[in-house]
Structures are given as C-alpha cells and as structure tokens.
Amino acid sequence: VPFEKQLVDLLDPDQRTSFANLNPLGKFPLLRDAKTGRLVPESSILVEYLAQHVPGAARLIPTAPDRALEVRARDRFFDLYVMEPMSKIVGDKLRPDSERDPRGVAGSHATLDTAYGMAEAFLEGSTWAAGDDFTLADCAAAPALFYANKVHPFTDEHPRVRAYLERLEQRPSFARVLAEAQPYFAMFPG
Ligand SMILES: N[C@@H](CCC(=O)N[C@@H](CS)C(=O)NCC(=O)O)C(=O)O
C-alpha cells in the first residue's frame, strides 16, 4: 500500500503537541487516510483497516473464523506477554535508580521465560506464528521478539524462537523497518 511516512520527534515540544492533537495517547503508529481524513491508531486495527479499505492490501487475518481467532490469539499473545514485559524492562532501565521497580522487572523476566517456552512449543512444525501463512500474529511477533531478545536473550532452549526471529528479520517488510530504524538503535538502553 503506498504511504507517506511522517516521523515525529516527541522530544520536540511543537511536534509533540501537534501529534497529541491527533492522538492524545501519543502512541505510534497512527495512520491518516488521505482520502477521508480518518485517523486510525493501533497497529492491529490499522492492518485490518487497510484490508477493509484498500484493494490489494495484504489480508493478514484469515477469513475462516476459527483460523482468524487463532491468529488474533497469537497477536494478543505477542503484544501482551512479550511486548508488554519487554517494554517494562526497557522502561525501567531508562529511569533514575530511585524510581526503579525490581519486583516488576523480575516479574517481566519470568513472563518472558514462560512466553518463550510457549512460543518454542507452538512453533514446532510451523513456519510462522499461526501456521504456514504470514499473518497479523507475525506483525505482532516481529518487534516484540526483536527487542525482547535484547533485554532477555533467547537461550539454547529456544532454537525455534531464535530461527523464527531470523526468518522475520529476513522478511523484506521487516528488514526495511530495521534498516530505517538503524539510526535510532543507539538510543535503546543496553
Ligand atoms: N498498542 C499500540 C502500541 C504502540 C506503542 O507502544 N508505540 C510506541 C513505539 S513502538 C510509542 O508510541 N512510544 C512512544 C511513547 O510511548 O511515548 C500499537 O500496537 O500500536
């Protein structure tokens, strides 16, 4: 789908205010449909919006209801149980020592252990997160696993998860995201 990318620097007060006028929660990505002016926040909704409104857009949720549920369940799994604990660990690293939350961070590491174990099991015999087709679940998995692996590295117990992330990184769309994000990786706390 053709699109025009607009980078927003939240450290710039004017840009922050303009963006907050469009999306008060201040979260990326935000899609603006140039034809209708409609604003669409939330990545998973944005993917569904494109499938509904743009001919030729990828259908990343299967039409069969049972398969669709499976894909949505995996999308939620990666968003809530990999992305969320990863963000908690990263957020904690960015705080001053006096505001750290060791208990919350330990809980997040434990959640990632459990989630990696679950992913290791469901990836057996599957190329992608919900079977042999690339779906919305893989869009959720890509950034979540990429950053989770940095703050809570995969071990030898997770060969399938590791190989899965490698497949995701080779996918042209995700490879492009990683290439465009390269200038900002230095800001990620090590
Ligand atoms: N549930 C949202 C999460 C979006 C999100 O957390 N975006 C991050 C960047 S990837 C963000 O906007 N961070 C800026 C901030 O929280 O100030 C989605 O899937 O779109």
Side-chain angles (χ1 to χ4, degrees):
V1 175
F3 67 99
E4 187 187 321
K5 180 176 75 178
Q6 190 153 350
L7 279 178
V8 180
D9 179 359
L10 291 178
L11 297 176
D12 177 314
D14 290 342
Q15 291 190 42
R16 175 180 274 275
T17 305
S18 309
F19 189 65
N21 287 335
L22 300 176
N23 185 6
L25 291 171
K27 295 286 180 189
F28 308 112
L30 175 72
L31 175 79
R32 179 163 53 195
D33 185 334
K35 269 199 198 135
T36 61
R38 186 163 168 182
L39 295 167
V40 186
E42 285 302 316
S43 327
S44 54
I45 305 302
L46 198 153
V47 165
E48 287 206 63
Y49 179 85
L50 292 177
Q52 282 180 18
H53 291 86
V54 183
R59 310 258 144 190
L60 294 171
I61 300 182
T63 42
D66 270 7
R67 288 281 301 124
L69 264 191
E70 216 175 300
V71 165
R72 285 202 176 87
R74 291 273 152 85
D75 166 68
R76 293 298 79 214
F77 167 81
F78 282 111
D79 222 19
L80 296 172
Y81 305 109
V82 179
M83 193 74 160
E84 182 75 25
M86 177 281 292
S87 307
K88 169 101 190 155
I89 296 167
V90 173
D92 200 80
K93 283 175 188 279
L94 293 169
R95 288 182 201 160
D97 278 354
S98 59
E99 292 174 26
R100 297 246 159 105
D101 171 17
R103 196 172 184 154
V105 167
S108 296
H109 282 290
T111 301
L112 286 176
D113 271 335
T114 304
Y116 288 177
M118 290 171 69
E120 189 62 25
F122 68 62
L123 284 168
E124 184 176 8
S126 282
T127 309
W128 300 112
D132 290 332
D133 297 321
F134 187 91
T135 67
L136 178 72
D138 301 295
C139 299
L145 288 178
F146 178 81
Y147 286 111
N149 186 36
K150 299 203 179 305
V151 296
H152 189 87
F154 307 142
T155 69
D156 291 345
E157 287 174 29
H158 312 118
R160 291 185 206 117
V161 182
R162 185 177 276 145
Y164 171 54
L165 178 60
E166 281 167 13
R167 278 196 293 285
L168 286 167
E169 288 175 9
Q170 282 159 17
R171 186 104 186 159
S173 52
F174 191 45
R176 175 179 170 186
V177 169
L178 292 176
E180 291 187 12
Q182 202 71 42
Y184 309 102
F185 283 152
M187 297 167 89
F188 187 81

